[in-house]
Each structure stands twice: as C-alpha cells, then as structure tokens.
Amino acid sequence: MKRVRFRDPAGSVRTGEWADDEVRFGGETYDFDEVELLAPTDPTKIVCVGLNYADHAAERNKDVPDRPLLFLKPPNAVASHGDTVTLPAGKERIDHEAELGIVIGEQCRNVAEEDAMDVVAGFTCADDISNRDDQDREQNWVRGKAFDNSCPLGPVMATPDEVPDDAAVRLRVNGELRQESSRDQFIFSVPELIAEITTYLTLEVGDVIITGTPAGVAPLEDGDDVEVEIEGIGTLSHDVRIP
C-alpha cells in the first residue's frame, strides 16, 4: 500500500491511499488537481547517513566509514512533492543527492538489528540537497545541510513489502539521468542503521532516516527540474530556484 498526506479542498490535512492515479480517503476519491500533496510524514527530525555508498565516498575523496556517519536535518528542511525549493543565494555549488527515506512507525530506542523492521512504517524518496560551499568549511554541517526545504520527501510512503531489497535508486535533472544505483549497494543496511541510531537517540513516530546517496551528485542550477525515482515507491519531483 502507498500512503499519501494531502490537504483536501476544505483545507484539512488528511492521510489517504494513493491508487490508480487518485487519492482516496474516508470513502471520497480526489483527482490530484483537487488536492495539495504534502510530504508523507511530519517528522520531529531527519537523521541523515553520509557516505553509505562506496562510489559516493570515492567521488567525494573520502574514506569508507567504519560506522555510519550521522548528521541531522531539522523539520524546517522538509519540502513536498511538486515544491519549488529556493536555494541559498551566492553559492558556487549546491548538489542533488537521491536517497531512500525510512519512515519510523513507533517511538523506539535501543532497537536490535533483528527487530529493526518492526519499527519501520514504510519508505519514501528523498533528495538531500547539499550546500557544498559551507559543508566543506564546517564540521556540524548546519549551513551545508539544514537550510530551509533542503530535504524534499515523497510523493508517498510505501509499505516495506512494496520496496525490493535491491530497489533501484535513480535521479534525473531535466530528464537527464545523473544517479543510478540500488539499495543493495548500501554499506550499512536499514537494520544496521536503525540499531546504531537508536543506541544514541529516541526516534519518534514519523521521524525519517535518509540512507545516503550513490555516486553522480552534481550541481543544481536555477530552474532545474529534479526527479528522484525509487523502485516500489514512485517518483518525487521538485524544481529549484536560485535568487
């Protein structure tokens, strides 16, 4: 099943089912042009994983980490399917990063690897938009990673059974394929990530873990249309504006 958050014609935020190019909720069916699609979850935090593909570590001239490299994005970073993301002005390089997002389904702490999938509500598509100018100058990456709308999510949350263990991950800019890999190329698996993260902090219902990006990251330009496609989920689309 694919779940979608949306604002209905009356202005109410709903969570319904995405099926047959329609949105369904409470016995009602809506066409897409009748509703405003929202990010599939409203997280208290986004826990991000850096360098979780060996090929991306190589293109960034970094060593493959011996434990997950973690950082945070706050709620202000969330953007939705179809949004225009305004990028920070005056920067030389702001990159796209296609990623699989894990949506947490229950409050959890100290989760064992063998139990990790029990706390997963589903998966979504993410774009970890990254301001390299500042990321490469600072250690905490606030300017580089946590700016407004730097994490588009969506368009839906697919239940775990919908997303293959080797799900393809692709990103296109203006129709041109930039990134292509698969979930089975992770250095650290979904259960490993959940176990490591919950050793240190509590995850709340709706929180998101974004799992790292493959090689092929590249700068975005004003007006670019970005598509993140993940097998079993669908395609997250957004464009960007540079003031």
Side-chain angles (χ1 to χ4, degrees), residues 81 105 117 130 134 155 176 182 193-194 196 212-213:
H81 176 75
M117 293 306 298
S130 300
D134 290 306
E176 174 193 354
S182 61
L193 294 175
I194 293 172
E196 176 70 12
T213 196

Side-chain angles (χ1 to χ4, degrees), residues 8 11-12 36 45 65 72 77 84 122 145 197 223:
D8 71 12
S12 300
E36 177 189 357
K45 56 189 169 292
L72 295 173
T84 294
K145 293 282 193 173
I197 291 165

Side-chain angles (χ1 to χ4, degrees), residues 147-226:
F147 56 90
D148 285 352
N149 305 131
S150 61
C151 192
L153 298 170
V156 300
M157 182 190 73
T159 51
D161 59 291
E162 296 271 358
V163 184
D165 291 341
D166 61 350
V169 178
R170 301 183 181 92
L171 182 141
R172 296 177 176 85
V173 175
N174 303 325
E176 174 193 354
L177 184 65
R178 293 270 189 91
Q179 294 182 269
E180 184 171 28
S181 189
S182 61
R183 177 181 166 189
D184 62 359
Q185 295 301 303
F186 287 177
I187 296 169
F188 301 104
S189 68
V190 169
E192 288 175 310
L193 294 175
I194 293 172
E196 176 70 12
I197 291 165
T198 60
T199 299
Y200 295 92
L201 58 110
T202 300
L203 294 175
E204 306 290 346
V205 175
D207 282 353
V208 176
I209 301 169
I210 59 174
T211 53
T213 196
V217 301
L220 292 166
E221 298 181 0
D222 187 39
D224 278 348
D225 292 309
V226 181

